[in-house]
């Protein structure tokens, strides 16, 4: 089995009770925050190495590192082969700053997109713009329905009921 399959079996186990789940995810989010703090402190450096080397570098388990790699994969400039990843698979953490911020907002990970490191990386205006863009992306805007006595939207000048509403 691949590392990703092992991670998902544990992280999303249906038989995990609520208290165990809270402890598990609380621990994971704390470690994830620490890794992001280090990555965002030096964003120009593209961290590379095997999954096992990165787990050791960030002082975590192979399983937690796999979960981290699964989470960051969509924000990378070159995605890692997470589906087939093993302990000796070489991966990179070269991320796109704006894409990473956007994806953190999408995941509602306020403990990540409010990190103080972002203040030095993206302007306040750009962060607000990315935040609003992401929040609006899931909003469905219904246009006002045309009434039968309203002017026709085709621009003919006729009432809708005598034009396109027939």
């Amino acid at each position: 089995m691949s590392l990703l399959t092992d991670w998902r079996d544990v992280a999303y186990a249906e038989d995990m009770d609520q208290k165990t789940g809270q402890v598990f995810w609380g621990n994971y989010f704390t470690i994830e925050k620490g890794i992001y703090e280090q990555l965002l402190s030096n964003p120009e450096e593209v961290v590379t190495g095997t999954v096992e080397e990165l787990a050791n570098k960030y002082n975590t388990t192979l399983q937690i590192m796999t979960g981290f790699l699964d989470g960051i994969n969509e924000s990378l400039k070159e995605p890692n082969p997470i589906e087939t990843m093993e302990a000796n698979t070489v991966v990179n953490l070269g991320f796109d700053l704006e894409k990473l911020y956007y994806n953190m907002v999408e995941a509602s990970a306020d403990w990540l997109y409010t990190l103080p490191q972002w203040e030095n990386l993206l302007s306040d205006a750009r962060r607000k713009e990315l935040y609003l863009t992401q929040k609006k992306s899931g909003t469905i805007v219904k246009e006002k329905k045309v009434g039968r006595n309203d002017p026709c939207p085709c621009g003919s000048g006729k009432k809708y009921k005598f034009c396109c509403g027939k």
Side-chain angles (χ1 to χ4, degrees):
M1 259 205 286
S2 72
L3 290 174
L4 186 63
T5 305
D6 292 343
W7 160 253
R8 289 181 177 166
D9 287 348
V10 171
Y12 305 111
E14 291 183 19
D15 61 341
M16 185 185 302
D17 63 54
Q18 186 175 2
K19 186 174 181 180
T20 306
Q22 287 176 338
V23 170
F24 175 83
W25 285 107
N27 179 47
Y28 172 78
F29 293 144
T30 302
I31 294 168
E32 178 186 43
K33 182 179 177 182
I35 295 172
Y36 276 118
E37 286 171 340
Q38 291 178 50
L39 287 174
L40 294 174
S41 294
N42 190 5
E44 291 82 30
E45 177 190 356
V46 178
V47 178
T48 59
T50 65
V51 179
E52 194 167 23
E53 289 170 351
L54 293 181
N56 292 333
K57 176 177 180 162
Y58 294 109
N59 198 24
T60 189
T61 65
L62 201 57
Q63 191 176 59
I64 296 289
M65 182 49 68
T66 302
F68 178 81
L69 291 169
D70 184 24
I72 197 173
N73 206 46
E74 289 183 15
S75 303
L76 299 177
K77 293 176 183 173
E78 288 182 37
N80 291 312
I82 60 169
E83 296 292 334
T84 58
M85 195 167 56
E86 296 298 333
N88 60 356
T89 304
V90 177
V91 293
N92 83 76
L93 298 179
F95 55 89
D96 178 313
L97 273 175
E98 291 187 355
K99 201 172 183 182
L100 181 62
Y101 188 84
Y102 182 91
N103 289 337
M104 286 176 173
V105 172
E106 182 179 25
S108 300
D110 57 340
W111 63 94
L112 296 177
Y113 68 78
T114 57
L115 286 171
Q117 287 84 349
W118 284 111
E119 294 172 14
N120 301 326
L121 303 173
L122 296 173
S123 69
D124 192 40
R126 184 63 184 143
R127 289 194 317 270
K128 283 180 183 175
E129 184 182 333
L130 288 168
Y131 182 88
L132 291 174
T133 301
Q134 194 294 313
K135 292 299 182 187
K136 288 180 182 176
S137 71
T139 305
I140 299 171
V141 179
K142 290 186 177 180
E143 292 190 24
K144 186 177 178 251
K145 189 174 177 182
V146 180
R148 55 187 306 262
N149 287 317
D150 292 340
C152 190
C154 76
S156 67
K158 297 179 183 177
K159 287 186 178 184
Y160 179 70
K161 66 182 176 184
F162 294 123
C163 189
C164 296
K166 281 187 171 182

